[in-house]
Amino acid sequence: MKHARLLILIAVAFSITNAFAEITLVRDGKAQTVIIVPEGLYKHVQRPGEQLTGDSAVVPLAAVELADYLQKVSGVRPVIATETQKGVEVASRIYIGHCKANADLVVQPEEFVIRTKDKDLHIRGGDVAPGGLICQGTLYGVYDFIERELGVRWLFPGEHGEAVPKRSTITIPDLDRREQSRIEKRKVRNQAVTREDTFAPVLKQWGIPVEAWKAAQGTEATGAWFRRMRLGARIEIEGGHAYAGWWEKYGKDHPEWFALQPDGTRTQKPERERLCKSNPALWDEIARVRIAEFQADPRKRMASLAPNDGGANKWCMCAACRALDPADAPKLLNDRSLIDPATKRPFAEYPALTDRVFTFFNEIAKRVRREMPDRYLVAYAYSVYRTPPVKLGPLEPNLIIGYVGLDPADIKAWSRIAPRLYIRPNDLGPAIDLGMPRNNAAQLASAVKFAVEHKAIGFDFDNCHGNWSAHGLDYYVLCKALWNPSFDVRATIADYCRSAYGSAAEVMMKYHETLAQISDQVRADAQLAPKSPYATRLRRYYSEEALQVLDAIVKSAQAVQGDDAGVKARIQMAAESVKYACLVTSLLEVAHEKKSPLFTKRLASVEAFLKPKILTPELAPLHSHRYLRMALAYAEREVE
């Protein structure tokens, strides 16, 4: 008898537990929940998401985004209310952000917790970092929920960039999830609209208003995608040019602080002045300036030591600076910024300047650390000082080294002496492939994971020009890697294909696998580089046969694509990308015959193809056109 009663009690307890194990948010097209935000936010959550900007908008935007996507999936939008608001009778509640009901959910900056309790759902994130930096943990928690529990995918910006499954009933399981990205800064530069002065003449020639282009491709149109991919930061890494205006400020009294020029003077042409890196008095002054900045703003955690990049000024060739350049350092060939004082011409070869430049960084960092041990300085490994130093040992612990590139050997070598790395590659633009279809997704993900395993705490990828037809998979997978470097790359690509291509997913997987093989070959070709005369070598990899294979795969996908408008549009984008590649390789075939009628005709065909796509998420026409024209300017006849 007692045994039977015990079984009954266990069964009742099990049924009660199961009753709370699932929560129904929408049943048969009717909302069963209300979204709850903290007091004081009611007016904010009555506004559309695109109007919720600024530091105070994280939690309101999270609530509005959740309500919007529940409606997109189910057709019904839950009410958004505050905790004490009366007259809202529903079966469950979704508490967003720093509600009193979420007070027991303790989170770190950018971390989020998603937890069910009884019949309610709780989502809270860390929205403020040390120093007062606003981050978006609550918003990331909502986006994680929308992706995992609602099945939504953000493939690219624009009408057909969302994949939203439809269902009239939404039930969620018992949840208890906590996440924070290992990477403290995750940036992909959204630069579809850049170089307005450069592109304005082309837009005028093609009859496209500049404002229309900016409206279609600018941040207001595309920025939500980058946010939804959880790009952001809980530290602000400041690494820009640090010495603009220094000649005007110091040149008269301290000309010896500036780089000795080929004319024998130290006179600089602003704004890209170069410094004499071996001067101890200059180290003292830069340290004094940075310490004063930190003292003036207690919230400021970081400052830049990076040299001014580019410009007309040359690197210092005084005896003291040259003494810091080891003869056995990797050699730089014919670099126009390194001028031989004897001949007034570029050195045929000269050692990399890394030891010189990082001696400069190290000495300043020592001085700052004595006064401000809890602040950081950013120093780039770039240009003629990109390769690791030969003589210099471990770097000062308050330095963050911004390595410009993805080379694993260099990253590993830098990690041996650098306390922290910040990776700032230039690997997303169409400079090499000229905007043709590619698949570097797995390589990008692998590079991110490798860098994180070797002290990388942040990334800043340049340049995402918005070539969603040809490079969209790269952008998508890269963002996933930046949130979770240990994710399953192949599973993510398969999920992308299912979401993007529906019944044609398996066929389009083959398309992207074929592109990966081509892209591996392109990356391995050392003669393919920006401003090299060898762009015609692309025809070796994007051969007529290879493009015919890609075209046949896309046609097979179109044969089974079904009636979904989004699926049709995405497969058509792939088809257009292949067509563009055919036009470009045809043009490259005659790239050395720039005055011939055939060259003119084929160039006109490429431009006529790109022009109608300027206001679409396809091919980044202006950027692809710019890099193509640059490649054509340098192209020579390829010799086997």
Side-chain angles (χ1 to χ4, degrees), residues 269-321:
K269 298 176 182 177
E271 299 172 331
R272 302 289 181 100
E273 46 264 77
R274 294 191 191 273
L275 305 178
C276 179
K277 300 294 192 296
S278 60
N279 192 308
L282 176 61
W283 303 341
D284 292 339
E285 177 62 12
I286 295 172
R288 184 195 69 77
V289 170
R290 293 295 173 260
I291 291 167
E293 290 174 358
F294 287 134
Q295 290 174 336
D297 183 0
R299 296 174 302 173
K300 186 178 180 67
R301 315 306 301 170
M302 203 169 298
S304 176
L305 296 182
N308 297 339
D309 176 33
N313 302 302
K314 308 303 180 184
W315 286 91
C316 188
M317 284 296 154
C318 76
C321 281

Side-chain angles (χ1 to χ4, degrees), residues 449-461:
K449 186 173 187 291
F450 182 87
V452 169
E453 291 169 348
H454 291 82
K455 299 185 179 178
I457 63 169
F459 292 81
D460 177 2
F461 274 85

Side-chain angles (χ1 to χ4, degrees), residues 140 157 183 185-194 219 222-233 406 422-429 438 444-445 448 458-468 471-483:
Y140 298 152
I183 301 171
K185 179 168 182 174
R186 306 166 307 284
K187 182 176 181 180
V188 174
R189 298 192 184 188
N190 180 9
Q191 294 193 314
V193 175
T194 51
T219 301
T222 61
W225 183 86
F226 290 82
R227 184 184 70 236
R228 289 165 181 159
M229 298 304 287
R230 288 180 259 175
L231 299 176
L406 285 176
Y422 173 49
I423 309 300
R424 229 293 283 141
N426 293 314
D427 287 56
L428 290 185
R438 72 180 188 210
L444 289 168
V448 168
F459 292 81
D460 177 2
F461 274 85
D462 203 7
N463 294 300
C464 176
H465 293 309
N467 189 342
W468 305 99
H471 303 165
L473 181 63
D474 284 3
Y475 303 153
Y476 183 89
V477 170
L478 172 61
C479 291
K480 293 295 185 183
L482 290 175
W483 179 260

